[in-house]
Structures are given as structure tokens and as C-alpha cells.
Coordinates of all heavy atoms in Angstrom, one line a residue:
M569 N 0.8 -1.2 0.0 CA 0.0 0.0 0.0 C 0.9 1.3 0.0 O 1.8 1.3 0.7 CB -0.9 0.0 1.2 CG -1.7 1.3 1.3 SD -2.7 1.4 2.9 CE -4.0 0.3 2.4
L570 N 0.5 2.2 -0.8 CA 1.3 3.5 -0.9 C 0.7 4.4 0.1 O -0.5 4.5 0.4 CB 1.2 4.1 -2.3 CG 1.8 3.3 -3.4 CD1 1.6 4.0 -4.7 CD2 3.3 3.1 -3.1
A571 N 1.5 5.2 0.7 CA 1.2 6.2 1.6 C 0.9 7.6 1.0 O 1.4 7.8 -0.2 CB 2.2 6.4 2.7
I572 N 0.3 8.5 1.6 CA 0.0 9.8 1.1 C 1.4 10.5 0.9 O 2.3 10.3 1.6 CB -0.8 10.7 2.1 CG1 -2.3 10.1 2.1 CG2 -0.9 12.1 1.6 CD1 -3.1 10.8 3.1
N573 N 1.5 11.1 -0.3 CA 2.7 11.8 -0.7 C 3.9 10.9 -1.0 O 5.1 11.2 -1.1 CB 3.2 12.8 0.4 CG 2.2 14.0 0.5 OD1 1.6 14.4 -0.5 ND2 2.0 14.4 1.7
H574 N 3.6 9.6 -1.3 CA 4.6 8.6 -1.7 C 4.8 8.9 -3.2 O 3.8 8.9 -4.0 CB 4.1 7.2 -1.4 CG 5.1 6.2 -1.7 ND1 5.4 5.7 -3.0 CD2 5.9 5.5 -0.9 CE1 6.3 4.8 -3.0 NE2 6.7 4.7 -1.7
P575 N 6.1 8.9 -3.6 CA 6.4 9.1 -5.1 C 5.8 8.0 -6.0 O 5.9 6.9 -5.5 CB 7.8 9.2 -5.2 CG 8.4 9.5 -3.8 CD 7.3 9.0 -2.8
V576 N 5.4 8.4 -7.1 CA 4.8 7.3 -8.0 C 5.5 7.5 -9.3 O 5.7 8.7 -9.8 CB 3.2 7.5 -8.1 CG1 2.7 6.5 -9.2 CG2 2.6 7.3 -6.8
E577 N 5.8 6.4 -10.0 CA 6.3 6.6 -11.4 C 5.3 7.2 -12.3 O 4.1 6.9 -12.1 CB 6.8 5.2 -11.9 CG 8.1 4.7 -11.2 CD 8.5 3.4 -11.9 OE1 8.5 3.3 -13.0 OE2 9.1 2.6 -11.1
D578 N 5.8 7.9 -13.3 CA 4.9 8.4 -14.3 C 4.1 7.4 -15.1 O 4.6 6.2 -15.2 CB 5.6 9.3 -15.3 CG 4.7 10.1 -16.2 OD1 3.6 10.4 -15.8 OD2 5.2 10.4 -17.3
F579 N 2.9 7.7 -15.4 CA 2.1 6.7 -16.1 C 1.1 7.5 -17.0 O 0.8 8.6 -16.8 CB 1.3 5.7 -15.3 CG 0.2 6.4 -14.3 CD1 -1.1 6.7 -14.8 CD2 0.6 6.8 -13.0 CE1 -2.0 7.2 -14.0 CE2 -0.3 7.4 -12.2 CZ -1.6 7.6 -12.6
S580 N 0.7 6.9 -18.0 CA -0.4 7.4 -19.0 C -1.4 6.4 -19.3 O -1.0 5.2 -19.5 CB 0.3 7.9 -20.3 OG 1.2 8.9 -20.1
L581 N -2.6 6.7 -19.3 CA -3.7 5.8 -19.7 C -4.7 6.5 -20.6 O -4.9 7.7 -20.5 CB -4.4 5.5 -18.3 CG -3.7 4.7 -17.3 CD1 -4.4 4.7 -15.9 CD2 -3.4 3.3 -17.7
P582 N -5.3 5.8 -21.4 CA -6.4 6.3 -22.3 C -7.5 6.8 -21.4 O -7.8 6.2 -20.3 CB -6.9 5.1 -23.1 CG -6.2 3.9 -22.6 CD -5.2 4.3 -21.6
S583 N -8.1 7.9 -21.8 CA -9.2 8.5 -21.0 C -10.4 8.8 -21.9 O -10.3 8.7 -23.2 CB -8.6 9.8 -20.3 OG -9.5 10.3 -19.4
T584 N -11.4 9.4 -21.3 CA -12.6 9.7 -22.1 C -12.3 10.8 -23.1 O -11.3 11.5 -23.0 CB -13.8 10.1 -21.2 OG1 -13.3 11.2 -20.3 CG2 -14.2 9.0 -20.4
D585 N -13.2 11.0 -24.1 CA -13.0 12.0 -25.2 C -11.7 11.9 -26.0 O -11.2 12.9 -26.4 CB -13.1 13.4 -24.5 CG -14.5 13.6 -23.8 OD1 -15.5 13.1 -24.3 OD2 -14.5 14.4 -22.8
N586 N -11.4 10.7 -26.1 CA -10.1 10.4 -26.9 C -8.9 11.1 -26.5 O -8.1 11.6 -27.2 CB -10.4 10.7 -28.4 CG -11.3 9.7 -29.0 OD1 -11.3 8.5 -28.8 ND2 -12.2 10.2 -29.9
T587 N -8.7 11.2 -25.2 CA -7.7 11.9 -24.6 C -6.8 10.9 -23.8 O -7.2 9.7 -23.6 CB -8.0 13.0 -23.6 OG1 -8.8 12.5 -22.6 CG2 -8.8 14.1 -24.3
T588 N -5.6 11.3 -23.4 CA -4.7 10.4 -22.6 C -4.5 11.2 -21.3 O -4.1 12.4 -21.3 CB -3.4 10.2 -23.4 OG1 -3.7 9.5 -24.5 CG2 -2.5 9.3 -22.4
F589 N -4.7 10.5 -20.2 CA -4.3 11.1 -18.8 C -2.9 10.7 -18.5 O -2.6 9.5 -18.5 CB -5.2 10.6 -17.8 CG -4.8 11.1 -16.4 CD1 -5.2 12.3 -16.0 CD2 -4.0 10.3 -15.6 CE1 -4.9 12.8 -14.8 CE2 -3.5 10.9 -14.4 CZ -4.0 12.1 -13.9
S590 N -2.0 11.6 -18.3 CA -0.7 11.4 -17.9 C -0.4 12.0 -16.6 O -0.7 13.2 -16.4 CB 0.3 11.9 -19.0 OG 0.2 11.3 -20.2
L591 N 0.2 11.3 -15.7 CA 0.6 11.9 -14.4 C 1.5 13.0 -14.6 O 1.3 14.1 -13.9 CB 1.3 10.8 -13.5 CG 1.6 11.2 -12.1 CD1 0.3 11.5 -11.3 CD2 2.3 9.9 -11.4
S592 N 2.5 13.0 -15.5 CA 3.4 14.1 -15.7 C 2.8 15.4 -16.1 O 3.3 16.4 -15.9 CB 4.5 13.6 -16.6 OG 4.0 13.3 -17.9
D593 N 1.6 15.3 -16.7 CA 0.9 16.5 -17.1 C 0.3 17.2 -15.9 O -0.3 18.4 -16.1 CB -0.2 16.2 -18.1 CG 0.3 15.7 -19.4 OD1 1.4 16.0 -19.7 OD2 -0.6 15.1 -20.1
N594 N 0.4 16.6 -14.8 CA -0.4 17.2 -13.6 C 0.6 17.4 -12.4 O 0.2 17.4 -11.2 CB -1.5 16.3 -13.2 CG -2.6 16.3 -14.2 OD1 -3.3 17.2 -14.4 ND2 -2.6 15.2 -15.0
V595 N 1.9 17.6 -12.7 CA 2.9 17.8 -11.7 C 2.6 19.1 -10.9 O 2.1 20.1 -11.6 CB 4.3 17.9 -12.3 CG1 5.3 18.4 -11.3 CG2 4.7 16.7 -12.9
G596 N 2.7 19.1 -9.6 CA 2.4 20.2 -8.8 C 1.0 20.3 -8.3 O 0.7 21.1 -7.5
K597 N 0.2 19.3 -8.8 CA -1.2 19.2 -8.3 C -1.4 18.1 -7.3 O -0.6 17.1 -7.5 CB -2.2 19.2 -9.5 CG -2.2 20.3 -10.4 CD -3.1 20.1 -11.6 CE -2.9 21.3 -12.5 NZ -3.7 21.0 -13.8
H598 N -2.4 18.1 -6.6 CA -2.8 17.0 -5.8 C -3.7 16.1 -6.6 O -4.7 16.6 -7.1 CB -3.4 17.4 -4.4 CG -2.5 18.3 -3.6 ND1 -1.4 17.8 -2.9 CD2 -2.6 19.6 -3.3 CE1 -0.9 18.9 -2.3 NE2 -1.6 19.9 -2.6
L599 N -3.5 14.8 -6.6 CA -4.2 13.9 -7.4 C -5.1 13.0 -6.6 O -4.6 12.4 -5.6 CB -3.3 13.0 -8.2 CG -4.0 12.0 -9.2 CD1 -4.9 12.7 -10.2 CD2 -2.9 11.2 -9.9
I600 N -6.4 13.0 -6.8 CA -7.4 12.2 -6.0 C -7.8 11.2 -7.1 O -8.4 11.6 -8.0 CB -8.5 13.0 -5.5 CG1 -8.0 14.1 -4.5 CG2 -9.6 12.1 -4.8 CD1 -9.1 15.1 -4.2
I601 N -7.4 9.9 -6.9 CA -7.9 8.9 -7.7 C -8.9 8.0 -6.9 O -8.5 7.6 -5.8 CB -6.7 7.9 -8.2 CG1 -5.6 8.7 -8.9 CG2 -7.2 6.8 -9.1 CD1 -4.4 7.9 -9.2
Y602 N -10.1 8.0 -7.4 CA -11.1 7.1 -6.7 C -11.3 5.9 -7.6 O -11.5 6.0 -8.8 CB -12.2 7.8 -6.3 CG -13.4 8.2 -7.3 CD1 -14.4 7.3 -7.5 CD2 -13.2 9.4 -8.1 CE1 -15.4 7.7 -8.5 CE2 -14.2 9.7 -9.0 CZ -15.3 8.8 -9.2 OH -16.2 9.1 -10.2
F603 N -11.3 4.7 -7.1 CA -11.6 3.5 -7.8 C -13.0 3.1 -7.5 O -13.4 3.1 -6.3 CB -10.6 2.4 -7.3 CG -9.2 2.7 -7.7 CD1 -8.4 3.5 -6.9 CD2 -8.7 2.3 -9.0 CE1 -7.1 3.7 -7.2 CE2 -7.4 2.6 -9.3 CZ -6.5 3.3 -8.4
Y604 N -13.7 2.6 -8.5 CA -15.1 2.2 -8.3 C -15.4 1.0 -9.2 O -14.7 0.8 -10.2 CB -16.0 3.3 -8.6 CG -16.1 3.8 -10.0 CD1 -17.0 3.4 -11.0 CD2 -15.1 4.7 -10.4 CE1 -17.0 3.9 -12.2 CE2 -15.1 5.2 -11.7 CZ -16.1 4.8 -12.6 OH -16.0 5.2 -13.9
P605 N -16.2 0.1 -8.8 CA -16.4 -1.2 -9.5 C -17.1 -1.1 -10.9 O -16.7 -1.9 -11.8 CB -17.3 -2.1 -8.6 CG -17.5 -1.3 -7.3 CD -17.0 0.1 -7.5
K606 N -18.1 -0.3 -11.1 CA -18.7 -0.3 -12.4 C -19.5 1.0 -12.6 O -20.1 1.6 -11.7 CB -19.8 -1.4 -12.3 CG -20.5 -1.7 -13.6 CD -21.0 -3.1 -13.8 CE -21.7 -3.4 -15.0 NZ -20.9 -3.2 -16.2
D607 N -19.5 1.4 -13.9 CA -20.2 2.6 -14.3 C -21.7 2.5 -14.2 O -22.2 1.4 -14.3 CB -19.9 2.9 -15.8 CG -18.4 3.3 -16.1 OD1 -17.8 3.9 -15.1 OD2 -18.0 3.2 -17.2
D608 N -22.3 3.6 -13.8 CA -23.7 3.7 -13.7 C -24.5 2.7 -12.8 O -25.5 2.2 -13.2 CB -24.3 3.6 -15.2 CG -25.6 4.3 -15.3 OD1 -25.9 5.2 -14.5 OD2 -26.3 4.1 -16.4
T609 N -23.9 2.4 -11.7 CA -24.5 1.6 -10.6 C -24.8 2.6 -9.5 O -24.2 3.6 -9.3 CB -23.6 0.4 -10.2 OG1 -22.3 1.0 -9.8 CG2 -23.4 -0.5 -11.3
P610 N -25.8 2.2 -8.6 CA -26.2 3.1 -7.6 C -25.1 3.7 -6.7 O -25.0 4.9 -6.6 CB -27.2 2.3 -6.8 CG -27.8 1.3 -7.8 CD -26.6 1.0 -8.7
G611 N -24.4 2.8 -6.1 CA -23.2 3.3 -5.2 C -22.2 4.1 -5.9 O -21.8 5.2 -5.5
C612 N -21.8 3.7 -7.1 CA -20.8 4.3 -7.9 C -21.2 5.7 -8.4 O -20.5 6.6 -8.5 CB -20.3 3.4 -9.0 SG -19.6 1.9 -8.4
T613 N -22.6 5.8 -8.7 CA -23.2 7.0 -9.2 C -23.1 8.0 -8.1 O -22.7 9.2 -8.2 CB -24.6 6.8 -9.7 OG1 -24.5 5.9 -10.8 CG2 -25.3 8.1 -10.1
L614 N -23.5 7.6 -6.9 CA -23.5 8.5 -5.7 C -22.1 9.1 -5.4 O -21.9 10.2 -5.1 CB -24.1 7.8 -4.5 CG -25.6 7.6 -4.5 CD1 -26.1 6.8 -3.3 CD2 -26.3 8.9 -4.5
E615 N -21.1 8.1 -5.5 CA -19.8 8.5 -5.2 C -19.3 9.6 -6.2 O -18.7 10.5 -5.9 CB -18.9 7.2 -5.2 CG -17.4 7.5 -4.9 CD -16.6 6.3 -5.0 OE1 -16.8 5.3 -5.7 OE2 -15.6 6.2 -4.1
G616 N -19.5 9.3 -7.5 CA -19.2 10.2 -8.5 C -19.8 11.5 -8.4 O -19.2 12.6 -8.7
Q617 N -21.1 11.5 -8.0 CA -21.9 12.7 -7.9 C -21.3 13.5 -6.8 O -21.3 14.8 -6.8 CB -23.3 12.5 -7.6 CG -24.1 12.0 -8.9 CD -25.5 11.4 -8.5 OE1 -25.8 10.9 -7.5 NE2 -26.4 11.6 -9.5
D618 N -20.9 12.9 -5.7 CA -20.3 13.7 -4.6 C -19.0 14.3 -5.0 O -18.7 15.5 -4.7 CB -20.0 12.7 -3.4 CG -19.7 13.4 -2.1 OD1 -20.3 14.4 -1.8 OD2 -18.7 13.0 -1.4
F619 N -18.1 13.6 -5.7 CA -16.9 14.2 -6.3 C -17.2 15.4 -7.2 O -16.6 16.5 -7.1 CB -16.0 13.2 -7.0 CG -15.2 12.4 -6.1 CD1 -15.4 11.1 -5.9 CD2 -14.1 13.0 -5.4 CE1 -14.7 10.2 -5.0 CE2 -13.3 12.2 -4.5 CZ -13.6 10.9 -4.4
R620 N -18.3 15.2 -8.1 CA -18.7 16.3 -9.0 C -19.1 17.5 -8.2 O -18.7 18.6 -8.5 CB -19.8 15.7 -9.9 CG -20.4 16.8 -10.8 CD -21.8 16.5 -11.4 NE -22.7 16.4 -10.2 CZ -23.8 15.7 -10.3 NH1 -24.2 14.9 -11.4 NH2 -24.6 15.7 -9.2
D621 N -20.0 17.3 -7.2 CA -20.6 18.4 -6.5 C -19.5 19.2 -5.6 O -19.7 20.4 -5.4 CB -21.7 17.9 -5.6 CG -22.9 17.4 -6.4 OD1 -23.0 17.7 -7.7 OD2 -23.7 16.7 -5.9
R622 N -18.5 18.4 -5.2 CA -17.4 19.0 -4.4 C -16.2 19.4 -5.2 O -15.3 20.0 -4.6 CB -17.1 18.0 -3.3 CG -18.4 17.7 -2.3 CD -18.0 16.8 -1.2 NE -17.2 17.6 -0.4 CZ -16.5 17.0 0.7 NH1 -16.6 15.8 0.9 NH2 -15.8 17.8 1.5
L623 N -16.2 19.3 -6.5 CA -15.1 19.6 -7.3 C -14.6 21.1 -7.1 O -13.4 21.2 -7.0 CB -15.4 19.3 -8.8 CG -14.2 19.3 -9.7 CD1 -13.3 18.2 -9.3 CD2 -14.7 19.0 -11.1
P624 N -15.5 22.0 -7.0 CA -14.9 23.4 -6.7 C -14.1 23.4 -5.4 O -13.0 24.2 -5.4 CB -16.2 24.3 -6.5 CG -17.3 23.5 -7.4 CD -16.9 22.1 -7.1
E625 N -14.4 22.7 -4.4 CA -13.7 22.7 -3.1 C -12.3 22.0 -3.4 O -11.3 22.6 -3.0 CB -14.3 21.9 -2.1 CG -15.7 22.4 -1.6 CD -16.4 21.4 -0.7 OE1 -15.8 21.0 0.2 OE2 -17.6 21.2 -1.0
F626 N -12.2 21.0 -4.2 CA -11.0 20.3 -4.5 C -10.1 21.2 -5.4 O -8.9 21.3 -5.2 CB -11.2 19.0 -5.2 CG -11.9 17.9 -4.4 CD1 -13.1 17.3 -4.7 CD2 -11.3 17.5 -3.2 CE1 -13.6 16.4 -3.9 CE2 -11.8 16.5 -2.4 CZ -12.9 15.9 -2.7
T627 N -10.8 21.9 -6.3 CA -10.0 22.8 -7.3 C -9.3 23.9 -6.5 O -8.2 24.3 -6.8 CB -10.9 23.3 -8.3 OG1 -11.5 22.2 -9.1 CG2 -10.2 24.1 -9.4
K628 N -10.0 24.4 -5.5 CA -9.4 25.5 -4.7 C -8.1 25.0 -4.0 O -7.3 25.9 -3.7 CB -10.5 26.0 -3.6 CG -11.4 27.0 -4.1 CD -12.3 27.4 -2.9 CE -13.5 28.3 -3.3 NZ -14.3 28.7 -2.2
E629 N -8.1 23.8 -3.7 CA -6.9 23.2 -3.0 C -5.9 22.6 -4.0 O -5.1 21.8 -3.5 CB -7.4 22.1 -2.0 CG -8.3 22.6 -0.9 CD -7.6 23.7 0.0 OE1 -6.4 23.6 0.3 OE2 -8.4 24.6 0.4
N630 N -6.1 23.0 -5.3 CA -5.1 22.5 -6.3 C -5.1 20.9 -6.4 O -4.1 20.4 -6.7 CB -3.7 23.0 -6.0 CG -2.8 22.9 -7.2 OD1 -3.3 23.1 -8.4 ND2 -1.5 22.7 -7.0
C631 N -6.4 20.4 -6.3 CA -6.5 19.0 -6.5 C -7.3 18.7 -7.8 O -8.1 19.5 -8.3 CB -7.4 18.4 -5.4 SG -6.7 18.6 -3.8
I632 N -7.0 17.6 -8.5 CA -7.7 17.1 -9.6 C -8.3 15.7 -9.2 O -7.7 15.0 -8.4 CB -7.0 17.0 -10.9 CG1 -5.7 16.1 -10.8 CG2 -6.5 18.4 -11.3 CD1 -5.1 15.8 -12.1
V633 N -9.4 15.4 -9.7 CA -10.1 14.1 -9.4 C -10.2 13.3 -10.6 O -10.4 13.7 -11.7 CB -11.5 14.4 -8.9 CG1 -12.3 13.1 -8.8 CG2 -11.5 15.3 -7.7
V634 N -9.8 12.0 -10.4 CA -9.9 11.0 -11.6 C -10.5 9.8 -11.0 O -10.2 9.3 -10.0 CB -8.5 10.7 -12.0 CG1 -8.5 9.7 -13.1 CG2 -7.7 11.9 -12.5
G635 N -11.6 9.3 -11.8 CA -12.2 8.1 -11.5 C -11.7 6.9 -12.3 O -11.5 7.1 -13.5
V636 N -11.6 5.7 -11.7 CA -11.1 4.6 -12.4 C -11.9 3.3 -12.1 O -12.2 3.0 -11.0 CB -9.6 4.3 -12.0 CG1 -9.1 3.1 -12.7 CG2 -8.7 5.4 -12.2
S637 N -12.4 2.7 -13.2 CA -13.0 1.4 -13.1 C -12.6 0.5 -14.2 O -11.9 1.0 -15.1 CB -14.6 1.5 -13.1 OG -15.0 1.6 -14.4
R638 N -13.0 -0.7 -14.2 CA -12.6 -1.7 -15.2 C -13.5 -1.6 -16.5 O -13.2 -2.3 -17.5 CB -12.8 -3.1 -14.7 CG -11.8 -3.3 -13.5 CD -12.1 -4.5 -12.7 NE -11.6 -5.7 -13.4 CZ -11.8 -6.9 -12.9 NH1 -12.3 -7.0 -11.6 NH2 -11.3 -8.0 -13.5
D639 N -14.5 -0.7 -16.5 CA -15.3 -0.7 -17.7 C -14.6 0.0 -18.9 O -13.5 0.5 -18.7 CB -16.5 0.3 -17.4 CG -17.5 -0.4 -16.4 OD1 -17.9 -1.5 -16.6 OD2 -17.7 0.3 -15.4
N640 N -15.1 -0.2 -20.1 CA -14.4 0.3 -21.3 C -14.7 1.8 -21.4 O -15.4 2.5 -20.7 CB -14.8 -0.4 -22.5 CG -16.3 -0.3 -22.9 OD1 -16.9 0.8 -22.8 ND2 -17.0 -1.4 -23.1
L641 N -13.9 2.5 -22.3 CA -13.9 3.9 -22.5 C -15.3 4.4 -23.0 O -15.7 5.4 -22.6 CB -12.9 4.4 -23.4 CG -11.4 4.3 -22.9 CD1 -10.4 4.7 -24.0 CD2 -11.3 5.2 -21.7
K642 N -16.0 3.6 -23.7 CA -17.3 4.0 -24.3 C -18.3 4.0 -23.0 O -19.1 5.0 -22.9 CB -17.8 3.0 -25.3 CG -19.2 3.4 -25.9 CD -19.6 2.5 -26.9 CE -21.0 2.9 -27.5 NZ -21.5 2.0 -28.5
S643 N -18.2 3.0 -22.1 CA -19.1 3.0 -21.0 C -18.7 4.3 -20.1 O -19.6 4.9 -19.6 CB -18.8 1.7 -20.3 OG -19.6 1.8 -19.0
H644 N -17.4 4.5 -20.0 CA -17.1 5.6 -19.1 C -17.5 7.0 -19.7 O -18.1 7.8 -18.9 CB -15.5 5.8 -19.1 CG -14.8 4.7 -18.3 ND1 -15.3 4.1 -17.2 CD2 -13.5 4.2 -18.5 CE1 -14.4 3.2 -16.8 NE2 -13.4 3.3 -17.6
L645 N -17.5 7.2 -21.0 CA -17.9 8.4 -21.6 C -19.4 8.5 -21.5 O -19.9 9.6 -21.1 CB -17.6 8.4 -23.1 CG -17.9 9.7 -23.8 CD1 -17.3 11.0 -23.1 CD2 -17.5 9.6 -25.3
C646 N -20.2 7.5 -21.6 CA -21.6 7.5 -21.4 C -22.0 7.9 -20.0 O -22.9 8.8 -19.7 CB -22.3 6.2 -21.8 SG -22.3 5.9 -23.6
F647 N -21.3 7.3 -19.1 CA -21.5 7.6 -17.6 C -21.1 9.0 -17.3 O -21.9 9.7 -16.6 CB -20.7 6.5 -16.8 CG -20.8 6.7 -15.3 CD1 -22.1 6.7 -14.7 CD2 -19.7 6.6 -14.4 CE1 -22.2 6.7 -13.3 CE2 -19.8 6.6 -13.1 CZ -21.1 6.6 -12.5
K648 N -20.1 9.5 -17.8 CA -19.5 10.8 -17.5 C -20.5 11.8 -18.1 O -20.9 12.8 -17.4 CB -18.2 11.0 -18.2 CG -17.6 12.4 -18.1 CD -16.2 12.5 -18.8 CE -15.8 13.8 -18.9 NZ -14.5 14.0 -19.5
E649 N -21.0 11.7 -19.3 CA -22.0 12.6 -19.9 C -23.3 12.5 -19.2 O -23.9 13.6 -18.9 CB -22.2 12.2 -21.3 CG -21.0 12.6 -22.2 CD -21.1 12.2 -23.7 OE1 -22.0 11.4 -24.0 OE2 -20.2 12.5 -24.5
K650 N -23.8 11.3 -18.9 CA -25.1 11.2 -18.2 C -25.1 11.9 -16.8 O -26.1 12.6 -16.5 CB -25.5 9.7 -18.0 CG -26.7 9.5 -17.2 CD -27.0 8.0 -17.1 CE -28.2 7.7 -16.3 NZ -28.5 6.2 -16.2
M651 N -24.0 11.8 -16.1 CA -23.9 12.4 -14.7 C -23.3 13.7 -14.7 O -23.2 14.4 -13.6 CB -23.0 11.4 -13.8 CG -23.6 10.1 -13.5 SD -25.2 10.2 -12.7 CE -26.4 9.6 -13.9
Q652 N -23.0 14.3 -15.9 CA -22.3 15.6 -16.0 C -21.1 15.7 -15.2 O -20.9 16.7 -14.5 CB -23.4 16.6 -15.7 CG -24.6 16.7 -16.6 CD -25.6 17.7 -16.3 OE1 -25.6 18.3 -15.2 NE2 -26.6 17.8 -17.2
F653 N -20.2 14.7 -15.3 CA -19.0 14.7 -14.5 C -18.0 15.6 -15.4 O -17.9 15.3 -16.6 CB -18.4 13.3 -14.3 CG -19.2 12.5 -13.4 CD1 -19.0 11.1 -13.6 CD2 -20.1 12.9 -12.5 CE1 -19.8 10.2 -12.7 CE2 -20.7 12.1 -11.6 CZ -20.6 10.8 -11.7
T654 N -17.3 16.5 -14.8 CA -16.4 17.3 -15.5 C -14.9 16.9 -15.3 O -14.0 17.6 -15.6 CB -16.6 18.8 -15.1 OG1 -16.4 19.0 -13.7 CG2 -17.9 19.3 -15.5
F655 N -14.8 15.7 -14.8 CA -13.4 15.2 -14.5 C -13.4 13.8 -15.2 O -14.4 13.2 -15.7 CB -13.2 14.9 -13.0 CG -14.3 14.2 -12.3 CD1 -14.3 12.8 -12.2 CD2 -15.3 14.9 -11.6 CE1 -15.3 12.1 -11.6 CE2 -16.3 14.2 -11.0 CZ -16.3 12.8 -10.9
E656 N -12.2 13.3 -15.5 CA -11.9 12.1 -16.1 C -12.2 10.9 -15.2 O -12.1 11.0 -14.0 CB -10.5 12.0 -16.7 CG -10.2 13.2 -17.7 CD -11.1 13.1 -18.9 OE1 -11.3 12.1 -19.5 OE2 -11.6 14.2 -19.2

């Protein structure tokens, strides 16, 4: 298990909207990665909505939010658009 502020090697992953998320593109920001089991399920939707609704608070603290699940990019994009998530 990694601790808070533990260095992590750079990584890049495909993201929604045909973009790539790279850790190195966000140097100097606090990264909040939340893992969830499946897009568009009740618990995962509530969790994502909470991050969405509190995003201005996180942004003020120089944080970015990223959600990760095992679903495919098409599913992620549909979920993101349906829930009006402004984060990857």
C-alpha cells in the first residue's frame, strides 16, 4: 500500500473524449484517484456525484479528481455525460 505523498512513477492511460491522462501533465497538483467497480451503478453513481458536486472545493486546494473502473472507455464516456462529470 502506498502512503500519502509517496512518489509514484509516471504513467499514461487512455481517457474519455479520446484523450490520454498522464501523471506528468499534472505535476504540482494533488491527485485524487477514486476507484469504483462499475459505471452507472447506484453506489458508484452517488460516489461520482459527490466528487462532482465538491469539485470546486478540490479545485481551490489545487486537486484534480480522476475516477477509475474496469469498464471500457465507451461506458465511461456515457456515464460521464449522463452524470455531467467534468473530471476524467
